[in-house]
Amino acid sequence: MSIAHGIRTLGVLGAGQMGTGIALVSALRAKVPVLLHDRSPEQVKKGLSLMDRLLSKDVAKGRLTNEEAKEARDRVSVVGVEAGIQGLRDVDMVVEAVSENLQLKQAIFSSFAAELKPEAILATNTSSISITKIAASALPASVSAASEEGKKIASRVVGLHFFNPVPVMKLVELISALQTSQDTLDRARAFAVACGKGICFPNPLAVNNPLCDFHATEVTVSKDVPGFVSNALLMPFINEGTATREDIDTTLKLGMNHPMGPLQLADFIGLDTCLAIQQTLYEGTRDSKYRPSLLLQQMVDAQWYGRKNGKGFYEYDK
Ligand code: 3HC
């Protein structure tokens, strides 16, 4: 049975590598108009120029006609700093893709969730943070979590976790908060599929409650736990320091056929983001396998963030 996602306009918050990728696949594949907002105009400029490069490459490779590329690009418009996030007020779904910081996400959700249309979905692309906590923060101070209004607002919050580079990676993780409604999950899932993605469906309730029967369409079933399935599995690889960087990366690339070694991948994701994810994992589980290594902490202290600023485990042309 196909479920219509009903998304006629999408808002994307954050024009970093994830937000830009999400805006692009939504405009190109799901063919929805996208409003892109970032508090940094510089970041928006970078994001749009990446989009242009990726679309031109697809045209050069014969995958898109000039017209299709232009139509996709024309579907993306920018909501400027003056309008702020309130400029996304009329969309049918917002995907938040700002930095991996709970306070920042909470501030965003609390500042405008109640102003959106009553059926609008609020999705977060968080890599590791509790969707349940983010959903709770979506309520204005005057609305109680137990009230009908409070339950309704929180029921529209969902985790929709894309992978980098978004136009290339096939997976989206869908994560239900304790408060998320079935309708929100179905529509968010349908939207991810419209973006051309396979989907795995971590489900917080089915694990402990066999009577609750929304479940995985693909491989992974998880609760709303720190790091979900993907980053709970990935981060220990990045934290392992038993050999030189080359030997660690070569082992995973040539011994396990990973396209990148874990330290190359860490540079690709961003070391600051990896550290934030590991901190959430460690704080949430107290499992030592997630305790960020001192080296990672120091590299971030040194502002070695990986590919995005040219220096991480390896060096890059900016
Ligand atoms: N944005 C968009 N597209 C990109 C890209 C980027 N940043 N980087 C590479 N690509 C595209 C290229 O344009 C090319 O597309 P084409 O086939 O249309 O020409 C394609 O990817 C392959 O690129 P290359 O030939 O240049 O290089 P590779 O064959 O080495 O592939 C890679 C690059 C796809 C990045 C590959 O190395 C890979 O799959 N690496 C692993 C990526 C991964 O694991 N991502 C998940 C990270 S975890 C995550 O995102 C979760 C978060 O919560 C932390």
Side-chain angles (χ1 to χ4, degrees), residues 54 57 61 63 127 161 163-165 168-169 231 260 265:
L54 293 172
K57 180 205 67 182
K61 292 200 164 189
R63 295 189 191 123
S127 301
H161 181 211
F163 292 80
N164 187 21
V168 178
M169 305 304 283
N231 281 315
M260 284 175 167
L265 184 56

Side-chain angles (χ1 to χ4, degrees), residues 256-276:
M256 282 103 193
N257 260 359
H258 288 207
M260 284 175 167
L263 303 181
Q264 282 179 312
L265 184 56
D267 277 354
F268 186 62
I269 293 168
L271 300 188
D272 49 342
T273 303
C274 289
L275 179 64

